[in-house]
Amino acid sequence: MLSQTGEHGASSGKTKKMSAVQLYRSIIRNEGLIGLWAGNGANLLRVFPAKSIVFASNDFYRSQFSILYFGSSEACNRQSAQLPWTLAFLSGGLAGMSASAATYPLDLARGRITGKLAGPGGKKHYKGIANTVVLTAREEGVRALYKGITPTLLGAMPYEGIKIRNSRRFRVGISQVRG
């Protein structure tokens, strides 16, 4: 992340290229060993609710598409009745977009925490997840918590759509093989 943002040279005022080993040494020197895991807590805090939102909203979208396609959501729950792949894909994609929209401020916090090296003396601008969200909202406005969400949403649609559609198809195939 630091190589992507160019922050690795910010503490010295230069934007020189650093090797991975030099970057690790710089992080350890400025932040200590714990600095190698900067942003990991925000990522963990984001992943758990995001996945639960994906599964819950996928069930919701799937039932809505079942009502549209079959006339009732119960008809699709039968093993023999499967949603067409396009609707299964849309259900998963919309679920992924819902989860991304709901947890994006945590993703932004993770990126900001991870992408900022501490300056000399180990002082960091962001001191944690809540601090990052509050500082961002205070300094840049609440809308800044959703800065850059469009590419995330556009990426979530095919990613979750393909994943959920194929996992459901795989489970049906496995259950047919088992008998």
Side-chain angles (χ1 to χ4, degrees):
M1 174 85 66
L2 292 170
S3 291
Q4 291 173 336
T5 62
E7 284 293 320
H8 56 274
S11 62
S12 63
K14 304 176 210 167
T15 56
K16 65 178 185 156
K17 281 278 204 190
M18 290 178 114
S19 71
V21 173
Q22 291 170 319
L23 185 57
Y24 280 112
R25 284 184 184 149
S26 176
I27 291 169
I28 293 168
R29 182 176 47 255
N30 289 323
E31 301 176 37
L33 196 58
I34 197 84
L36 295 173
W37 285 271
N40 193 47
N43 192 42
L44 293 175
L45 198 62
R46 176 188 65 86
V47 167
F48 290 118
K51 292 305 171 193
S52 63
I53 292 169
V54 164
F55 290 122
S57 60
N58 182 59
D59 289 344
F60 170 77
Y61 292 124
R62 185 172 165 71
S63 71
Q64 297 305 304
F65 286 134
S66 295
I67 291 168
L68 287 173
Y69 189 76
F70 295 112
S72 74
S73 60
E74 289 80 26
C76 188
N77 290 335
R78 292 193 314 263
Q79 191 77 0
S80 59
Q82 288 291 312
L83 278 175
W85 74 267
T86 52
L87 294 179
F89 172 82
L90 277 174
S91 173
L94 289 171
M97 290 176 79
S98 298
S100 293
T103 60
Y104 191 77
L106 294 172
D107 193 32
L108 181 97
R110 177 200 55 85
R112 288 191 175 197
I113 292 167
T114 305
K116 292 280 187 188
L117 267 178
K123 189 158 174 127
K124 291 190 86 158
H125 183 68
Y126 300 115
K127 295 177 180 78
I129 302 159
N131 175 263
T132 302
V133 170
V134 169
L135 271 178
T136 301
R138 187 181 306 142
E139 293 173 358
E140 302 172 44
V142 175
R143 291 184 67 183
L145 295 173
Y146 290 91
K147 209 183 272 186
I149 194 171
T150 302
T152 300
L153 293 177
L154 293 175
M157 172 57 104
Y159 178 76
E160 290 295 339
I162 291 168
K163 190 169 71 171
I164 288 178
R165 192 262 181 215
N166 288 338
S167 70
R168 185 168 295 275
R169 184 172 169 90
F170 183 70
R171 273 186 296 181
V172 169
I174 292 294
S175 64
Q176 289 173 348
V177 168
R178 286 185 178 169

